[in-house]
Amino acid sequence: MDIKVLLLLPAILLVSMPFSIPLSQAATIGVSATLLPACEAGTTTSGSTSFGTLNFGNYASLTSAINATSAQLAGSIRVKCVNGLAYKIVMDGGSSGVVTARRMVNTTNSAVSLQYNLYTTAARTTVWDNTTGVSNTGNGADQWATVYGRVPAQSTPAAGVYQDTVNVTVSW
């Protein structure tokens, strides 16, 4: 045999042999996500998170009880938890430190105060406390808990602006 034929033999065999080159190949890719048991609460503005202010309004006398009901961004508590996650909202006693005897303090004379309290229902029979609070289950959307306030009839203190800050804790 001629040396040229021997050198061409592998090329001739490759061309004459039927073989297939795969034009595609299938494989799988794993995909996963973990949804954490989480909630968000309040509205954050300039780095501070709050629920707004429950405002009792302006009065010249406290001879009768004054009721106030919260609204969205004005004292109502916004909670957004993943669907099916149970959560609880509790409140501390504010500046008095006692949930059954909350008080607002005069902004110019802290020795003068005004009694008030916060309740879980419109009947204002159950004080919103720091242990039982209000429980609910998340649905993946904003849920608003209404806060019911009452300033009971009392001796009218000095005229002025009275305020308090109550810490709200949402746990899940």
Side-chain angles (χ1 to χ4, degrees):
M1 230 186 215
D2 187 348
I3 190 102
K4 290 179 186 175
V5 172
L6 283 176
L7 290 175
L8 288 175
L9 187 58
I12 293 168
L13 287 174
L14 277 177
V15 171
S16 65
M17 290 179 62
F19 64 92
S20 65
I21 299 175
L23 299 176
S24 68
Q25 184 170 354
T28 61
I29 182 171
V31 178
S32 72
T34 302
L35 184 57
L36 299 175
C39 297
E40 61 182 55
T43 302
T44 303
T45 306
S46 302
S48 177
T49 302
S50 79
F51 299 103
T53 300
L54 176 62
N55 189 335
F56 284 94
N58 300 319
Y59 295 88
S61 171
L62 296 177
T63 56
S64 298
I66 301 166
N67 291 330
T69 301
S70 68
Q72 291 182 8
L73 305 176
S76 285
I77 302 178
R78 182 191 74 86
V79 178
K80 182 178 180 180
C81 292
V82 297
N83 192 30
L85 182 63
Y87 65 90
K88 181 165 69 168
I89 306 166
V90 296
M91 296 183 192
D92 73 4
S95 61
S96 76
V98 181
V99 295
T100 56
R102 291 183 172 107
R103 62 184 172 87
M104 291 180 262
V105 176
N106 187 297
T107 58
T108 58
N109 180 358
S110 62
V112 181
S113 64
L114 181 64
Q115 299 169 19
Y116 80 99
N117 223 321
L118 303 174
Y119 300 88
T120 60
T121 64
R124 292 170 176 82
T125 54
T126 304
V127 171
W128 203 316
D129 65 9
N130 56 358
T131 53
T132 305
V134 170
S135 296
N136 205 348
T137 301
N139 64 6
D142 285 349
Q143 294 175 295
W144 294 88
T146 303
V147 178
Y148 301 92
R150 174 174 285 157
V151 173
Q154 58 194 284
S155 298
T156 304
V161 175
Y162 290 79
Q163 296 179 337
D164 193 16
T165 300
V166 175
N167 293 303
V168 177
T169 302
V170 178
S171 59
W172 57 90

